[in-house]
Amino acid sequence: MSLELTADQHDYRDRLRAWLDEHGADAPRRHVLEPQDDAAVARLRAWQGRLSDAGYVGVTWPARFGGPGGTPAEAVIVDQELEARGIAGPFDFIGIGMVGPTIMAHGTPEQQERHLAPLLRGDEFWCQLLSEPGAGSDLAAVQTRARRREDGAWVVNGQKVWTSFAQHAAFGILLARTDPAVAKHKGLSMFLVPMDSDGLTIRPLRQITGDAEFNEVFLDDLVLPADAMIGAEGEGWKVALTMLGFERVAVGSGLHAVRLERLVAAIAEDPAAREDHAVRVRMGQVASQLLALRHTSERVVREIAEGRVPGPDAGLIKITSVIASLDACRFVVDAIGPDALVDGEWGHQVSALPGVRSAGGTEEILRNLIGERHLGLPPEPRVAPPAPAAPAPAPAPATV
Amino acid sequence: MYLPLTDEQTFLREAALDALARHATVEAAREALDDAVYPVLWPTGTEAGWTGLLTGEDADGVGLGAYEALLVLEACGGRLADARLLGHLPATALLEAAGADAQLRGALARGERRAALVDGGAGDRPGAISLDGDFASGAVTGVLDADGADVLVVVCGDTLLVVEAGADGVVVAGKRAYDSTRAVADVVLRTAAGTRLELPAGRGRDGVDLQRALLAAEAVGAADAAMRMARDYAVDRFAFGRPIGSYQAIKHKIVEMLRLVEGARSLLVAAGEAWAHDRDGFALAANAARVTADDALRYAAPENIFIHGGVGATWEHDAQLYYRRAESSRRLAGGVDAAAAAVADALLAAA
């Protein structure tokens, strides 16, 4: 079997376990409830720093980017060990899982030098300024404009929404339209934005859960230097696709998933539920889905390990994650009673999961992608976009 | 999606697909519905070494693991081929673990004799079969591959009783199955004499769990085939001026088939890995594979009929054969609910 751990991997696991024995006692717990207060966030960030110093964050990041240069198998081992102990992983999953790899792929050496190390340590937190109120899953329909000034700087105006953790972020990665005259996928560029810039306003959005993880972000005459662009001008869509590929893996690989161990504990602690045959049958059904999710995620990680880019079918993981997790939550509430809806993780997850269905691309968009790219099914006829503005005639002589 | 395979495993899988392609098994499955005799691919399996996959090389076996067996069964499932391995392989695995004599193991590995697994704790009630020294008594209904088997390997706890099918007090009554490719029989033992063997503690259930994993592999193969059938039709068939696969309502059903198949396939990989490296974890992975694979086939088979429209619901169309497999498969070997309960048992036992 090609999956067995090598001697090196066993050693790696042993070293990690020893490190966690020594340092993990006061580590923050892995929690499905979003951290609400600044103290909790500070604690999680400090923990990310300690994990990072020991080489357990961004495990596969190459040494030239400040990472430990580990193997994907080692990354899986770290996840497994933290998960098994119920210890929190890196807090900035957006930075580690999505933005960092995107900067590695498309950033200039200066951008990589400036941003990757503080990102890895959790010193500078990241958010993604992608979605807009009018765009939704049709991400390329973004209207936020960046206009080049004569001195080469960019002036940004527009509004973003569904921006996770903007309130904690030092930087955001921003998709903006730099050329409105060309087809919608072609006129986009990506920028790195300091979140404390003048002209940038963050307004929290309270969700069904009661939390305000998401934010609206308003951009009013925000000025960015020329070197804030990541990738080439007009290549923003390519950069965005790179990031979305990583996002689907990250969103799917357990980010929002119910932890099987918590489900088992909930039933194990309830003697009546535990002895009920019908409960056990249903528990087996939902647990099997969560196990399928876990092992499929591992397969995708192994694919990446062998140098493949996560394909559209990585989106399957995200869909399964939401379906299996909601099934699992509903099962637990059925088994242990309606009080479970009121406080704690089960009620929180029941509230959070319907919204997650549209995060990282709606289920329907993902199913279209997978059906068309992976199964070769014919595309849905697209309504022709409005014809681009006719090529402007030769500029009229200035009338002033 | 990608499967982690060694060169040897890739070769085994491709050889299985080639061997199966030489037989019109799907057509035969339909003809068998009209009482034609369904060809059992036992000779194919013997020639390919499948019958000895889990028997040691000391007894002419191939000495491979569960993952290799699962790959072969997945290939069989895709073609609705029946090589009688669902009963034989778990029985040979238990005989291997119990240290049965090389003569018996060799005859089974070479395909000269065929074995079936009888779960003495299954049937209509727990402990359906009781052992008294070297004698077994009791009844189990719906035993996979028992019809025509030479040897019945009865497992009660961690004890095996190897009973000749033709021995005094043994009645094996074959039944007509909803899925024409299945050889299912009721087994009655009345103080039937056999050879008693002991397994290492806790290993008795490996046979039942392996049988469930093999059923899961077959179901994954069948669901994958139903998905491909639906996909190909959805590309070719036009309605309202468009290929029907361009409609989200159809496209999303086929992607759902893929999603369920890939999840179940991941658990087959996990089961194969557990068999080789973490036998105590095998029950969890094998039973979870069974639950998800049967769910995948239960979704894919009827939706494939639906996507084909009226023609998919005709007697002549292949789609019904996969549907029969789906409805039959999830009720065999104790039924899929027993596998779900076993998943919960394994998780709660560790809690």
Side-chain angles (χ1 to χ4, degrees):
Chain A
M1 192 86 186
S2 54
L3 305 184
E4 62 192 284
L5 291 187
T6 63
D8 282 353
Q9 289 161 356
H10 278 296
D11 288 348
Y12 184 84
R13 190 189 292 274
D14 290 343
R15 286 199 304 278
L16 169 61
R17 284 180 176 168
W19 188 86
L20 286 171
D21 287 343
E22 191 178 340
H23 299 276
D26 58 343
R29 308 300 299 165
R30 186 172 285 244
H31 218 280
V32 297
L33 305 182
E34 306 302 345
Q36 292 278 13
D37 57 83
D38 292 347
V41 171
R43 218 165 143 252
L44 283 160
R45 292 174 66 156
W47 174 240
Q48 178 174 330
R50 288 170 66 190
L51 276 174
S52 176
D53 290 343
Y56 296 129
V57 177
V59 172
T60 57
W61 286 28
R64 70 178 190 280
F65 295 133
T71 65
E74 290 169 353
V76 172
I77 290 169
V78 171
D79 280 346
Q80 287 173 342
E81 291 298 316
L82 292 173
E83 165 100 18
R85 294 181 190 224
I87 293 178
F91 183 45
D92 184 12
F93 61 87
I94 292 172
I96 304 296
M98 307 166 209
V99 178
T102 305
I103 292 177
M104 286 187 241
H106 296 285
T108 62
E110 292 74 23
Q111 288 166 338
Q112 291 164 348
E113 172 77 16
R114 162 67 187 85
H115 290 296
L116 290 175
L119 186 161
L120 205 54
R121 291 201 79 259
D123 292 341
E124 288 174 351
F125 214 77
W126 282 78
C127 64
Q128 294 174 305
L129 300 163
L130 303 180
S131 298
E132 295 189 3
S137 286
D138 186 6
L139 190 59
V142 299
Q143 295 301 322
T144 291
R145 284 290 316 272
R147 288 186 180 80
R148 199 204 296 270
R149 261 188 351 202
E150 283 187 0
D151 64 356
W154 295 88
V155 181
V156 183
N157 280 284
Q159 182 194 342
K160 296 290 173 177
V161 73
W162 318 129
T163 307
S164 298
F165 302 122
Q167 67 273 49
H168 305 302
F171 289 91
I173 187 161
L174 170 88
L175 187 63
R177 188 163 299 284
T178 43
D179 185 352
V182 297
K184 72 176 184 179
H185 290 82
K186 293 188 174 160
L188 299 167
S189 301
M190 198 73 95
F191 297 90
L192 306 180
V193 180
M195 293 301 285
D196 60 358
S197 300
D198 290 337
L200 189 151
T201 311
I202 298 168
R203 196 161 73 196
L205 278 173
R206 199 164 183 223
Q207 298 149 244
I208 305 173
T209 55
D211 300 336
E213 175 201 312
F214 288 136
N215 299 272
E216 293 176 293
V217 177
F218 299 89
L219 308 155
D220 299 302
D221 290 332
L222 170 78
V223 179
L224 293 172
D227 64 2
M229 188 177 283
I230 177 166
E233 185 177 345
E235 295 287 311
W237 185 243
K238 200 169 101 186
V239 181
L241 286 184
T242 302
M243 191 149 62
L244 292 178
F246 291 117
E247 177 168 24
R248 281 170 195 144
V249 174
V251 171
S253 59
L255 205 57
H256 295 277
V258 161
R259 286 182 55 216
L260 181 61
E261 288 73 11
R262 294 294 307 134
L263 176 140
V264 175
I267 301 305
E269 288 160 10
D270 186 323
R274 185 178 182 141
E275 296 309 318
D276 184 324
H277 180 69
V279 168
R280 289 166 86 103
V281 168
R282 201 167 152 219
M283 174 178 168
Q285 290 163 344
V286 299
S288 294
Q289 291 187 64
L290 292 174
L291 285 163
L293 172 67
R294 176 178 294 177
H295 290 292
T296 305
S297 301
E298 285 180 12
R299 278 171 70 197
V300 170
V301 168
R302 288 174 209 271
E303 270 189 278
I304 296 169
E306 292 175 14
R308 302 158 203 240
V309 175
D313 46 340
L316 287 170
I317 294 175
K318 190 250 164 172
I319 297 172
T320 299
S321 165
V322 178
I323 292 174
S325 296
L326 192 52
D327 272 3
C329 289
R330 288 173 169 166
F331 156 69
V332 172
V333 177
D334 286 345
I336 67 179
D339 289 352
L341 283 174
V342 182
D343 289 312
E345 63 187 285
W346 305 109
H348 186 275
Q349 287 272 57
V350 166
S351 299
L353 284 163
V356 179
R357 291 182 68 191
S358 47
T362 63
E363 279 183 23
E364 282 66 24
I365 293 288
L366 293 175
R367 286 183 196 270
N368 281 353
L369 270 173
I370 296 158
E372 291 166 21
R373 293 195 197 163
H374 189 73
L375 291 173
L377 288 164
E380 183 97 359
R382 262 88 175 170
V383 177
T399 53
V400 273
Chain B
M1 207 187 264
Y2 128 114
L3 271 183
L5 299 177
T6 61
D7 290 348
E8 191 180 34
Q9 288 163 348
T10 303
F11 176 78
L12 178 73
R13 183 163 174 268
E14 287 173 359
L17 291 168
D18 286 349
L20 292 169
R22 291 197 288 274
H23 300 274
T25 47
V26 178
E27 293 81 347
R30 185 172 52 251
E31 285 160 12
L33 291 175
D34 289 322
D35 293 328
V37 174
Y38 181 75
V40 175
L41 297 190
W42 184 257
T44 303
T46 299
E47 199 179 311
W50 301 341
T51 48
L53 272 176
L54 297 176
T55 301
E57 294 175 15
D58 67 309
D60 290 341
V62 189
L64 292 174
Y67 193 47
E68 286 78 3
L70 295 172
L71 292 173
V72 170
L73 268 292
E74 188 184 330
C76 288
R79 303 269 311 157
L80 300 177
D82 181 12
R84 296 289 194 267
L85 298 171
L86 292 170
H88 183 79
L89 287 177
T92 59
L94 289 185
L95 291 173
E96 199 70 12
D101 71 71
Q103 195 184 349
L104 172 63
R105 291 188 293 119
L108 295 172
R110 292 187 298 271
E112 294 157 14
R113 310 193 75 203
R114 191 151 70 74
L117 181 75
V118 180
D119 179 5
D124 299 326
R125 58 202 158 80
I129 291 180
S130 54
L131 297 184
D132 181 6
D134 294 340
F135 297 91
S137 295
V140 179
T141 57
V143 179
L144 265 168
D145 293 351
D147 196 9
D150 304 297
V151 178
L152 302 177
V153 176
V154 181
V155 56
C156 295
D158 293 329
T159 301
L160 297 184
L161 199 71
V162 184
V163 179
E164 294 290 323
D168 287 346
V170 178
V171 180
V172 177
K175 334 206 251 194
R176 187 183 164 83
Y178 180 68
D179 171 0
S180 59
T181 68
R182 295 294 194 202
V184 176
D186 293 343
V187 174
V188 180
L189 304 173
R190 294 193 187 89
T191 325
T195 306
R196 190 179 170 114
L197 298 168
E198 296 298 331
L199 289 161
R203 293 278 67 95
R205 64 164 304 148
D206 284 353
V208 173
D209 292 330
L210 178 59
Q211 188 172 62
R212 289 173 179 172
L214 297 172
L215 273 165
E218 270 200 346
V220 164
D224 189 81
M227 175 187 75
R228 287 169 197 281
M229 206 188 292
R231 180 259 172 218
D232 291 348
Y233 190 74
V235 169
D236 288 342
R237 164 80 180 169
F238 276 64
F240 305 104
R242 288 162 54 182
I244 63 169
S246 69
Y247 292 98
Q248 287 195 359
I250 301 295
K251 182 180 298 167
H252 291 184
K253 282 181 192 295
I254 301 172
V255 172
E256 181 68 358
M257 295 178 191
L258 175 71
R259 185 182 77 83
L260 295 171
V261 164
E262 290 301 339
R265 192 171 268 151
S266 299
L267 283 167
L268 294 181
V269 176
E273 188 176 32
W275 180 270
H277 302 293
D278 170 27
R279 195 63 70 86
D280 290 336
F282 181 68
L284 180 62
N287 283 284
R290 168 109 214 251
V291 171
T292 52
D294 276 351
D295 286 350
L297 183 54
R298 182 165 66 166
Y299 181 83
E303 293 297 350
N304 180 40
I305 294 176
F306 173 74
I307 287 168
H308 278 80
V311 72
T314 58
W315 186 259
E316 287 74 22
H317 201 279
D318 290 347
Q320 70 145 322
L321 303 170
Y322 290 89
Y323 182 68
R324 284 175 182 274
R325 174 58 70 84
E327 290 301 319
S328 161
S329 184
R330 65 188 286 115
R331 283 149 183 129
L332 291 171
V336 70
D337 280 1
V343 169
D345 291 348
L347 290 168
L348 288 168

